[in-house]
Amino acid sequence: MNKIGIDLGGTKIEGILLDETNNVIKKIRIPTQQEKGYDSIIKSIISLVDELKQFAKTDFTIGISTPGAISKKTGLIKNSNTQCIIGMPLQEDLLKCLKHEIKIENDANCFALAEATLGAAKNYDVVFGVIIGTGVGGGIIINGKIHRGRTNIAGEWGHHALKQNGNNCYCGKNGCVEIYLSGPALEKRWTELTGKADSLESITNNQSDSKANQWKSEFLENFGVSLANVIDILDPDAIVLGGGVSNISFLYNEGRDAVYDKVFSDLVDTPILQNKLGDSAGVFGACLL
Ligand SMILES: [Zn+2]
C-alpha cells in the first residue's frame, strides 16, 4: 500500500507519497496563503493529493497533519494556530471532495509519531515530541501509537500555563508556554530587552553582553520548567525536539541541565534529542497514521 501524507503548516503545505517501505516516491511543497482563507487551504490540499496520486503504484492511504485537533464534541477543528481553520469541518469537507478515506491528526502528534517510528527516538517506547517553532505543541507516543487522551488534547504542552498571571495567549488563557518559548516570542523578548529586532539565529550566535545573558537565562528557566513538568508527570523514555527553535545547540546541554535541575527525582537521565527528519517529520507522520 502506498501512502499519501499532507502537512498543513503555517507557511507551507507539503505533500509526500511513500511506498510500502516508507521510501519517498514524490514530494511537493507549496505556500499556504493563509490570508486567502479556509477555502484556499482546502483547494491546495486537494490539488496536492490529485498530483501525488498520479505517481502511486498501488492503492493508497491519505493522512493529513494539521495544526489543532478535531473536537470530539463537534467534529470541528479546535486549538489551531492556523486560525482560519478553527471551527471548520476540515475532515468532512475533504472527505466530500476527495471521496477517499482520510485520517487527520494534530501536527505535533504527527511529528512525534514520525520521530518515534523513523527518526531520532526510534528505539524508545514512550516518547514525548515537542515542536517549538512559530507555534508550540507536543505529542505523546506510547509503543508506536499516538496517545490522544480522553478529549484529544493529550500532550498539548504549548498551552499549559508556565506563568499563572503571564502574558495573554491567542488561545484565551494567560502565561502559556507558547507565549514564552515560540520563535516569535523569543525574538519579541529580545526586542523588549535590547530595543533591537534580530533573528533568533543572530541572537543565539552573536550576542554576549548582559542583556544576552538575561535573555538566555530566562529562556533556559522557561524551557527547564516546562519540560520538567512533563518528566514529572509522564516520565518518558525520550524527549525529541522539533521546529525552528530546536536548532539552538545549547538546548541539548545547558537546556537539558536546566530541565534536569527541576525534575522531582534524585535520578534523571531522560535523553533530550534533536529531531532527525527536520521539517519533513509532519508529512512522514501523516503517512504513518
Ligand atoms: Zn495558550
Side-chain angles (χ1 to χ4, degrees), residues 87-140:
M88 295 306 205
L90 186 64
Q91 183 151 30
E92 202 186 307
D93 287 343
L94 288 173
L95 207 60
K96 245 185 259 165
C97 301
L98 293 169
K99 297 181 179 61
H100 189 291
E101 192 195 342
I102 47 169
K103 288 185 176 164
I104 298 190
E105 189 53 69
N106 169 264
D107 54 358
N109 284 352
C110 288
F111 164 81
L113 179 63
E115 288 295 333
T117 310
L118 305 167
K122 207 164 135 182
N123 300 314
Y124 297 95
D125 294 334
V126 178
V127 175
F128 187 66
V130 298
I131 299 179
I132 317 179
T134 315
V136 175
I140 300 166

Side-chain angles (χ1 to χ4, degrees), residues 187 190-191 194-199 202-203:
E187 288 173 354
W190 175 254
T191 305
T194 65
K196 292 187 284 181
D198 292 319
S199 70
S202 131
I203 302 167

Side-chain angles (χ1 to χ4, degrees), residues 102-261:
I102 47 169
K103 288 185 176 164
I104 298 190
E105 189 53 69
N106 169 264
D107 54 358
N109 284 352
C110 288
F111 164 81
L113 179 63
E115 288 295 333
T117 310
L118 305 167
K122 207 164 135 182
N123 300 314
Y124 297 95
D125 294 334
V126 178
V127 175
F128 187 66
V130 298
I131 299 179
I132 317 179
T134 315
V136 175
I140 300 166
I141 306 300
I142 301 175
N143 298 324
K145 292 208 160 60
I146 297 170
H147 173 73
R148 294 183 176 82
R150 184 175 168 89
T151 62
N152 278 353
I153 62 152
E156 271 290 3
W157 179 69
H159 296 274
H160 85 280
L162 184 59
K163 305 202 190 268
Q164 208 177 5
N165 297 309
N167 303 340
N168 294 332
C169 181
Y170 76 86
C171 77
K173 303 199 297 169
N174 300 81
C176 296
V177 170
E178 179 161 320
I179 288 295
Y180 296 93
L181 288 183
S182 72
L186 290 163
E187 288 173 354
K188 183 168 165 250
R189 182 63 186 142
W190 175 254
T191 305
E192 282 169 6
L193 287 170
T194 65
K196 292 187 284 181
D198 292 319
S199 70
L200 199 55
E201 200 182 354
S202 131
I203 302 167
T204 49
N205 288 340
N206 306 319
Q207 320 282 341
S208 60
D209 61 5
S210 66
K211 296 286 187 205
N213 290 338
Q214 186 186 341
W215 179 87
K216 186 174 172 183
S217 72
E218 286 178 12
F219 178 12
L220 289 173
E221 172 76 15
N222 292 335
F223 180 79
V225 171
S226 56
L227 280 179
N229 289 345
V230 172
I231 297 178
D232 282 343
I233 294 167
L234 183 66
D235 198 5
D237 296 308
I239 293 173
V240 55
L241 308 183
V245 175
S246 73
N247 295 323
I248 297 174
S249 58
F250 66 66
L251 292 182
Y252 303 93
N253 40 54
E254 291 165 278
R256 176 202 59 207
D257 294 345
V259 176
Y260 287 6
D261 272 354

